[in-house]
Amino acid sequence: GESVGLHLPTLSVQEGDNSIINCAYSNSASDYFIWYKQESGKGPQFIIDIRSNMDKRQGQRVTVLLNKTVKHLSLQIAATQPGDSAVYFCAENYGGSQGNLIFGKGTKLSVKP
Amino acid sequence: DAGITQSPRHKVTETGTPVTLRCHQTENHRYMYWYRQDPGHGLRLIHYSYGVKDTDKGEVSDGYSVSRSKTEDFLLTLESATSSQTSVYFCAISESSVYYEQYFGPGTRLTVT
């Protein structure tokens, strides 16, 4: 089965609030964990990555947290905007292999004005 | 947007017919990938290439073959299309050093009747 999963299939937040999207993984050998955003009708777009030797990484309005103890990954979006409405996928390079990414099923984020 | 194009963008074909999808990039990236995206399954890797004539299988490679004779082109062939191959197909590219940061094309919607 899939090693990357999601806790919630849908998430609805109010504009301006912070969003947290969660993901679980099972392969301890993966080196990188990545978040992608997919808007309706488009291909996925890279957001941010985190290496397995880190526990936190920040980008522009986004923070990714990695908890290796419980094999959990999360994406935090600060001050969520309508343009953040999309499906978010977590992914891992399964077993540390280059090029072979395993994606989760995705969480749909809806931002209410 | 990264310079990735996919052709055709939409195709309807009959069961048993061969189909070839093309991915073309202008970024000179070493890695190229083919994914399929289905409801409830997220993105699944079909095949990928790590150089001209160098390819490897992904999670769902059965029924698909690929070829890469030039850096810029990566072809996906369905030798004998089946209804289970109805899907949206995405091509992606990445640089060698950051293979997990993939740039996706606009997708091809394939319907097999």
Side-chain angles (χ1 to χ4, degrees):
Chain A
E2 263 187 13
S3 69
V4 178
L6 292 169
H7 293 181
L8 293 172
T10 60
L11 178 65
S12 184
V13 300
Q14 203 70 38
E15 181 178 358
D17 288 350
N18 296 335
S19 302
I20 300 176
I21 302 171
N22 296 303
C23 179
Y25 68 93
S26 61
N27 195 318
S28 302
S30 297
D31 291 335
Y32 288 92
F33 301 89
I34 312 101
W35 284 99
Y36 283 84
K37 171 186 180 183
Q38 186 176 26
E39 297 175 350
S40 180
K42 297 183 178 180
Q45 179 184 2
F46 173 86
I47 301 173
I48 192 168
D49 66 275
I50 186 167
R51 196 163 184 176
S52 59
N53 61 357
M54 302 170 65
D55 51 24
K56 181 179 180 179
R57 189 171 187 205
Q58 289 185 296
Q60 187 176 10
R61 278 200 309 117
V62 296
T63 300
V64 58
L65 299 178
L66 178 63
N67 185 330
K68 292 179 286 294
T69 301
V70 294
K71 297 180 180 176
H72 184 267
L73 183 70
S74 68
L75 178 71
Q76 300 178 1
I77 304 173
T80 312
Q81 303 169 358
D84 295 325
S85 293
V87 177
Y88 290 81
F89 295 94
C90 62
E92 63 177 311
N93 70 323
Y94 190 77
S97 65
Q98 287 197 359
N100 193 353
L101 292 186
I102 300 294
F103 284 77
K105 291 185 171 64
T107 293
K108 182 176 182 180
L109 175 65
S110 295
V111 182
K112 296 177 288 186
Chain B
D1 290 345
I4 310 168
T5 56
Q6 293 184 231
S7 58
R9 294 293 314 279
H10 302 272
K11 186 171 182 66
V12 179
T13 192
E14 293 184 348
T15 298
T17 59
V19 177
T20 295
L21 308 183
R22 179 180 183 240
C23 177
H24 178 78
Q25 61 145 330
T26 58
E27 305 296 323
N28 201 36
H29 283 358
R30 180 182 173 191
Y31 281 73
M32 298 186 76
Y33 314 81
W34 277 107
Y35 291 89
R36 60 178 289 173
Q37 185 171 38
D38 306 288
H41 289 279
L43 285 151
R44 293 181 291 176
L45 181 66
I46 305 171
H47 282 279
Y48 68 100
S49 169
Y50 45 96
V52 173
K53 297 190 177 170
D54 291 322
T55 64
D56 206 349
K57 295 179 179 180
E59 182 185 358
V60 290
S61 60
D62 287 349
Y64 302 94
S65 62
V66 291
S67 65
R68 190 169 178 198
S69 58
K70 298 185 290 185
T71 298
E72 57 266 34
D73 290 326
F74 193 32
L75 304 180
L76 176 71
T77 297
L78 291 65
E79 301 290 347
S80 178
T82 66
S83 59
S84 65
Q85 293 176 313
T86 292
S87 187
V88 179
Y89 291 86
F90 286 100
C91 173
I93 63 174
S94 68
E95 295 184 90
S96 303
S97 57
V98 281
Y99 58 88
Y100 46 85
E101 184 174 339
Q102 298 182 9
Y103 297 94
F104 284 78
T108 294
R109 182 172 294 276
L110 176 68
T111 302
V112 184
T113 60

